[in-house]
Amino acid sequence: MVETQLRSRDIADPRVLDAMGRVPRHEFVLPAHLARAYEDRALPIRENQTISQPYIVALMTQSAELKPTDRVLEVGTGSGYQSAVLGELVQEVYSIEIVESLATEAGALLGKLSYSNVQVKYGDGYAGWKEHAPFDAILITAAAPRLPKPLIDQLAVGGRLVVPIDNILLHQDLVRFTKTKEGLVRDKITGVQFVPMTGEIRK
Ligand code: SAH
């Protein structure tokens, strides 16, 4: 997976490649999809959600330009796979999931796999996780029509926020926003397809 799907494309950060090689993706897929765990595709998980394609997980992680000392927020825990990749790379990971059963399962699995630097909570990621802010990076792994204001506030100056922003129906632009003293700098990374961010952002 690392060689054929990541290194052969544009994933060049050795720390990201190493982390992707260490996380046991088969632990995060449904038993029915075990044989496909390392394929170049997203897979369905419970509650009509998905575990993202390995390449997109690596691309979002690389785009966040993480340092080992970073504190990172993830919105959309899902299976917990992206959280584990982050857990391999940074000091502290906080992940929020709006579907309670997914939050509970992912939290238990990450605990079983000894990702003691990853915390999962059930809730709407729109509001962020104020107690642990500011974050050096924020990854939103569900498609959002716009940036949640509380997340911009909880991003450190110099911090990076990576998010799929709705473009046309069912398609998004994966965008990195970097917070500077003067405001947000926007860089488009590529086109993607994510499940929608739900909750407050849709009101
Ligand atoms: N990062 C995940 C991908 C999950 S798919 C993985 O590696 O498996 C997106 C997830 O975002 C879904 O589980 C969905 O329930 C969750 N989600 C959608 N809107 C959300 C919100 N407002 N707050 C937190 N989680 C949300």
Side-chain angles (χ1 to χ4, degrees):
M1 180 189 91
V2 169
E3 293 308 319
T4 62
Q5 300 170 33
L6 309 182
R7 204 190 299 272
S8 67
R9 293 185 180 137
D10 52 354
I11 307 302
D13 183 331
R15 292 187 69 234
V16 173
L17 290 166
D18 199 47
M20 295 292 299
R22 278 200 303 269
V23 177
R25 187 171 160 89
H26 60 273
E27 296 275 3
F28 296 87
V29 304
L30 292 175
H33 300 304
L34 251 191
R36 321 191 71 169
Y38 294 91
E39 286 183 7
D40 188 19
R41 52 169 295 178
L43 289 167
I45 58 172
R46 278 183 251 281
E47 305 285 348
N48 278 325
Q49 304 302 322
T50 53
I51 173 171
S52 305
Q53 180 191 1
Y55 171 66
I56 296 298
V57 172
L59 185 62
M60 289 185 78
T61 307
Q62 176 169 275
S63 303
E65 296 178 346
L66 303 171
K67 292 183 294 297
T69 51
D70 280 353
R71 187 188 306 147
V72 178
L73 176 72
E74 178 192 21
V75 173
T77 317
S79 67
Y81 178 66
Q82 171 80 74
S83 330
V85 173
L86 294 170
E88 293 277 353
L89 287 165
V90 302
Q91 196 149 355
E92 292 169 53
V93 180
Y94 299 92
S95 186
I96 309 173
E97 170 56 53
I98 203 165
V99 176
E100 189 168 14
S101 62
L102 292 177
T104 307
E105 280 177 37
L109 177 58
L110 289 161
K112 186 190 103 178
L113 298 175
S114 301
Y115 285 102
S116 54
N117 59 339
V118 181
Q119 277 189 50
V120 177
K121 81 166 177 183
Y122 158 57
D124 188 338
Y126 181 92
W129 199 328
K130 230 178 172 174
E131 298 86 329
H132 300 295
F135 299 100
D136 302 295
I138 299 177
L139 269 64
I140 304 180
T141 64
R146 58 194 158 80
L147 280 183
K149 170 82 166 64
L151 297 189
I152 301 170
D153 297 341
Q154 291 176 29
L155 188 63
V157 172
R160 294 78 55 197
L161 191 161
V162 182
V163 54
I165 295 277
D166 288 340
N167 175 2
I168 47 170
L169 191 65
L170 301 177
H171 289 267
Q172 305 97 36
D173 289 336
L174 186 62
V175 178
R176 177 181 59 207
F177 294 93
T178 306
K179 187 164 169 177
T180 70
K181 285 201 183 100
E182 292 74 38
L184 293 175
V185 177
R186 179 187 169 118
D187 298 295
K188 181 181 164 181
I189 302 163
T190 190
V192 286
Q193 268 183 286
F194 272 82
V195 295
M197 183 173 182
T198 58
E200 183 66 31
I201 197 95
R202 300 288 166 185
K203 286 181 187 152

